[in-house]
């Protein structure tokens, strides 16, 4: 990310204040419930990143706050330990008290000094969805009943960059946007018949017909495309991501929602897991030793053709500084008139073209692997936020090239008899940068086999083992893995979700 942005942005968490411009829906939050926060002095009066954090120094400057997920239940002292770049203690929910839904395991650790605070955030909730049509004419909700709605389980990892504001905001609000989108679908999802093509224009008013009386598909157009219930839920998730991104755009100034975040979200609803990913976090299922990828990374390399097509269709987004074409390396002025390898938005292979003056511009997509960048700036191509992100020393905005829409994959839990060792592992890129799928699967087998199947702490132990394995141990030259390769210096956050079902959801 941009160093100039990162150095200027503190991980600020807004803890209160409603706003009349927050959301048009009365059910969406006003960002008033913030996670536990600890006060700290500004960076100018703190030790350098990577050093042990000592007692706060006296200062006349205004302090800012940082926070961690509420389910960690961290005390002020725990927050300070969680923010220690030198010790990098692994944090997990306490053994005492209420467990996470489905006996979910969670662990996290702060970076080794890459950013001022841990810019990852996480959320784990059980969310009740009430049908929008169950409201009275006055808009007041009736007493919830089994026939008026349903619950979904929700897990979210949010990997922030250029500040933690976007990740913190998404961790508190995205599941509520999803709930709002699902309210129109409560009756439809319960009906085994195909979804109606059209809905009444004013749901919730007197005289609204029952689901069986909704406008039939044939009255709109024919023939009808096949639309499944799964696709309705996927669409609700996609729309929720878009609305979350729009809310960040509206409130980025008044509520200091700086930077952006990757988002990896899982919903369990009506027997199926919906895994939505926008960014470079990843999810895999480990089932009886088999590895099933449930997401893919969205980077300048994996989305090169989408980015190039946008640059080709809207060259004004590139200004006079960038070209949508890709070359194996930067073109030199002395190579004008020569033929060089290139590829454009339509190509997966390479061909030769004559070098022209426009080809001397910087490529829209450059670098490879973890060093690949869009407009020489950002290494992810999907996520939330980043509305203020511009090319360094330029007025060109990068946001038009960044998509907020996730890819959603569906896994039907009813199609397989799962055992207690079958899990869904979610991790931010701090895990996957140094750990591959096979190594994660091996850790799953090693850790879970050492616990009794009915031990609810086994999944937290697994999450901790995955984080510790990616972090490594401190040595003279940084954090090292057992093979002496560099461990992850990034924030690392991991959820482990058992696929056997809710189990002891709240013990």
């Amino acid at each position: 990310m941009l160093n100039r942005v990162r150095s200027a942005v503190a991980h600020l968490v807004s803890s209160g204040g409603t706003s009349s411009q927050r959301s048009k829906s009365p059910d969406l939050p006003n960002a008033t419930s913030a996670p536990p926060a600890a006060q700290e002095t500004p960076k100018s009066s703190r030790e350098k990143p990577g050093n042990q954090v000592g007692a706060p120094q006296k200062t006349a400057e205004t302090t800012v706050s940082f926070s961690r997920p509420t389910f960690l239940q961290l005390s002020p002292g725990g927050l300070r330990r969680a923010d220690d770049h030198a010790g990098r203690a692994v944090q997990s929910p306490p053994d005492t008290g209420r467990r996470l839904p489905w006996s979910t395991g969670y662990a996290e650790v702060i970076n080794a000094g890459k950013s001022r605070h841990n810019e990852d955030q996480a959320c784990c909730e059980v969310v009740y969805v009430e049908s929008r049509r169950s409201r009275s004419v006055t808009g007041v909700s009736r007493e919830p009943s089994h026939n008026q709605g349903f619950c979904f389980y929700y897990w979210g990892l949010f990997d922030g960059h250029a500040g933690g504001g976007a990740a913190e905001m998404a961790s508190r609000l995205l599941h509520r946007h999803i709930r709002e989108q699902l309210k129109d679908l409560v009756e439809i999802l319960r009906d085994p018949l195909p979804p109606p093509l059209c809905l009444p224009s004013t749901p919730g008013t007197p005289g609204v017909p029952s689901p069986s009386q909704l406008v039939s598909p044939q009255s709109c157009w024919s023939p009808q495309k096949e639309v499944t219930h799964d696709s309705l839920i996927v669409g609700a998730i996609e729309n929720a991501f878009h609305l979350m991104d729009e809310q960040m755009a509206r409130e980025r100034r008044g509520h200091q929602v700086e930077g952006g975040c990757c988002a990896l979200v899982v919903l369990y609803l009506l027997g199926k897991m919906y895994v939505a990913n926008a960014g470079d976090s990843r999810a895999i299922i480990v089932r009886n030793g088999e590895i099933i990828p449930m997401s893919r990374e969205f980077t300048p390399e994996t989305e090169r053709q989408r980015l190039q097509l946008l640059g080709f269709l809207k060259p004004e987004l590139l200004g006079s500084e960038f070209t949508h074409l890709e070359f194996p390396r930067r073109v030199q002025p002395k190579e004008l008139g020569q033929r060089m390898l290139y590829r454009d938005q339509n190509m997966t292979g390479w061909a030769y073209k004559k070098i022209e003056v426009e080809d001397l511009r910087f490529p829209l997509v450059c670098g490879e692997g973890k060093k690949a960048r869009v407009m020489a700036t950002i290494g992810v191509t999907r996520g939330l936020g980043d509305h203020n992100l511009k090319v360094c020393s330029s007025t060109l905005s990068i946001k038009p090239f960044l998509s907020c829409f996730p890819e959603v994959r569906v896994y039907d839990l009813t199609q397989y008899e799962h055992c207690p060792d079958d899990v869904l592992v979610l991790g931010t890129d701090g895990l996957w940068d140094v750990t591959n799928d096979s190594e994660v699967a091996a850790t799953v087998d090693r850790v879970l086999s050492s616990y009794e199947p009915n031990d609810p702490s086994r999944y937290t132990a697994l999450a901790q083992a995955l984080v510790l394995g990616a972090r490594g141990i401190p040595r003279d030259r940084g954090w090292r893995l057992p093979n002496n390769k560099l461990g992850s210096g990034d924030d690392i956050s991991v959820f482990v979700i058992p696929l056997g079902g809710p189990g002891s959801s709240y013990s």
Side-chain angles (χ1 to χ4, degrees):
M1 311 312 153
L2 289 174
N3 289 332
R4 66 186 180 87
V5 176
R6 183 188 305 146
S7 63
V9 176
H11 186 163
L12 181 63
V13 176
S14 174
S15 62
T18 60
S19 170
S20 59
Q21 298 179 351
R22 276 229 164 245
S23 175
K24 294 180 180 179
S25 169
D27 290 325
L28 289 178
N30 291 318
T32 58
S33 56
Q39 297 296 322
E40 69 163 28
T41 57
K43 191 171 183 179
S44 60
S45 62
R46 289 176 57 85
E47 297 182 33
K48 295 181 180 179
N51 295 336
Q52 178 71 34
V53 178
Q57 301 178 14
K58 293 182 179 180
T59 176
E61 300 180 54
T62 303
T63 59
V64 296
S65 61
F66 64 93
S67 71
R68 301 310 313 138
T70 53
F71 59 73
L72 289 176
Q73 302 176 44
L74 295 176
S75 64
L79 279 166
R80 287 192 293 272
R81 287 189 294 274
D83 201 43
D84 180 7
H85 295 280
R88 299 188 75 191
V90 175
Q91 308 295 323
S92 288
D95 291 333
T96 58
R98 193 172 67 175
R99 294 189 179 276
L100 295 180
W102 283 36
S103 296
T104 298
Y106 176 80
E108 68 172 40
V109 73
I110 194 173
N111 61 80
K114 175 182 177 182
S115 60
R116 190 176 184 182
H117 302 299
N118 188 336
E119 294 181 341
D120 286 359
Q121 287 290 344
C123 182
C124 184
E125 298 281 351
V126 181
V127 183
Y128 178 76
V129 183
E130 180 185 4
S131 171
R132 210 180 300 277
R133 297 197 306 115
S134 67
R135 292 180 174 274
S136 65
V137 180
T138 61
V140 179
S141 295
R142 298 170 183 160
E143 192 68 25
S145 72
H146 177 72
N147 295 324
Q148 291 178 349
F150 53 72
C151 289
F152 67 84
Y153 291 83
Y154 173 89
W155 301 263
L157 288 180
F158 305 92
D159 184 355
H161 48 258
E168 194 276 332
M169 184 177 185
S171 72
R172 289 184 290 112
L173 304 186
L174 179 56
H175 59 288
R176 304 191 183 192
H177 280 289
I178 294 174
R179 180 184 64 188
E180 282 297 300
Q181 294 301 301
L182 290 174
K183 284 184 175 182
D184 287 327
L185 306 180
V186 172
E187 290 86 1
I188 295 173
L189 294 177
R190 286 188 172 146
D191 191 339
L193 296 176
L197 196 60
C198 299
L199 293 176
S201 58
T202 55
T205 57
V208 172
S210 65
S212 61
Q213 296 174 315
L214 295 175
V215 181
S216 64
Q218 289 76 12
S219 64
C220 293
W221 72 72
S222 185
Q224 177 188 0
K225 286 187 176 181
E226 181 180 356
V227 178
T228 64
H229 287 173
D230 281 352
S231 65
L232 288 181
I233 296 173
V234 169
I237 296 171
E238 291 169 335
N239 273 339
F241 270 68
H242 185 216
L243 292 170
M244 182 74 257
D245 193 61
E246 288 185 334
Q247 185 176 359
M248 288 181 176
R250 292 193 306 269
E251 302 182 8
R252 65 184 185 274
R253 293 183 178 86
H255 295 273
Q256 301 186 35
V257 182
E258 297 291 350
C261 68
C262 301
L264 175 61
V265 162
V266 175
L267 269 71
Y268 171 75
L269 178 60
L270 302 177
K272 296 181 180 180
M273 290 283 197
Y274 297 83
V275 182
N277 184 46
D280 59 0
S281 299
R282 286 204 299 117
I284 65 169
I285 285 175
V286 180
R287 188 185 68 190
N288 194 26
E290 178 187 5
I291 298 169
I292 305 173
M294 291 302 297
S295 68
R296 62 188 176 103
E297 296 178 340
F298 291 99
T299 67
E301 284 189 307
T302 63
E303 293 212 283
R304 172 187 60 84
Q305 288 178 280
R306 177 183 73 81
L307 299 171
Q308 288 182 314
L309 177 60
L310 180 58
F312 171 74
L313 295 175
K314 295 189 174 182
E316 64 273 13
L317 298 176
L318 302 174
S320 59
E321 305 169 45
F322 293 89
T323 173
H324 74 283
L325 299 179
E326 182 185 17
F327 299 92
R329 61 165 172 77
R330 185 74 183 274
V331 179
Q332 304 298 318
K334 63 183 180 181
E335 293 167 330
L336 283 170
Q338 299 182 19
R339 293 172 61 82
M340 178 178 282
L341 287 169
Y342 86 106
R343 58 182 177 180
D344 64 16
Q345 68 277 2
N346 300 309
M347 302 168 64
T348 57
W350 296 83
Y352 288 95
K353 77 175 293 289
K354 182 179 179 181
I355 297 299
E356 302 173 357
V357 174
E358 291 78 8
D359 300 326
L360 298 177
R361 298 172 180 174
F362 205 85
L364 171 63
V365 176
C366 63
E368 57 184 356
K370 293 299 293 185
K371 295 183 178 180
R373 294 290 183 269
V374 179
M375 304 179 92
T377 304
I378 188 170
V380 291
T381 53
R382 297 201 191 190
L384 302 169
D386 289 313
H387 295 279
N388 294 325
L389 187 60
K390 298 189 186 315
V391 175
C392 187
S393 302
S394 171
T395 60
L396 286 177
S397 175
I398 300 175
K399 181 62 177 178
F401 293 96
L402 308 180
S403 173
C404 64
F405 286 94
E407 178 187 68
V408 184
R409 299 188 182 185
V410 185
Y411 180 80
D412 191 343
L413 286 174
T414 66
Q415 297 300 307
Y416 192 89
E417 189 70 27
H418 295 92
C419 73
D421 291 355
D422 296 337
V423 294
L424 172 60
V425 178
L426 315 180
T428 55
D429 65 332
L431 171 69
W432 304 109
D433 284 349
V434 297
T435 311
N436 60 40
D437 294 355
S438 297
E439 291 169 334
V440 168
T443 302
V444 169
D445 179 65
R446 173 176 58 83
V447 174
L448 294 186
S449 63
S450 64
Y451 284 82
E452 292 295 327
N454 60 351
D455 187 342
S457 66
R458 66 204 307 257
Y459 305 110
T460 295
L462 174 55
Q464 292 171 341
L466 291 170
V467 170
L468 286 168
R471 184 202 67 178
I473 59 175
R475 294 184 180 172
D476 292 339
R477 294 179 295 165
W479 295 83
R480 295 281 172 173
L481 305 179
N483 59 11
N484 206 37
K485 291 184 178 180
L486 280 174
S488 176
D490 200 356
D491 302 313
I492 310 170
S493 300
V494 172
F495 271 126
V496 176
I497 306 169
L499 297 180
S504 54
S505 299
Y506 284 105
S507 57

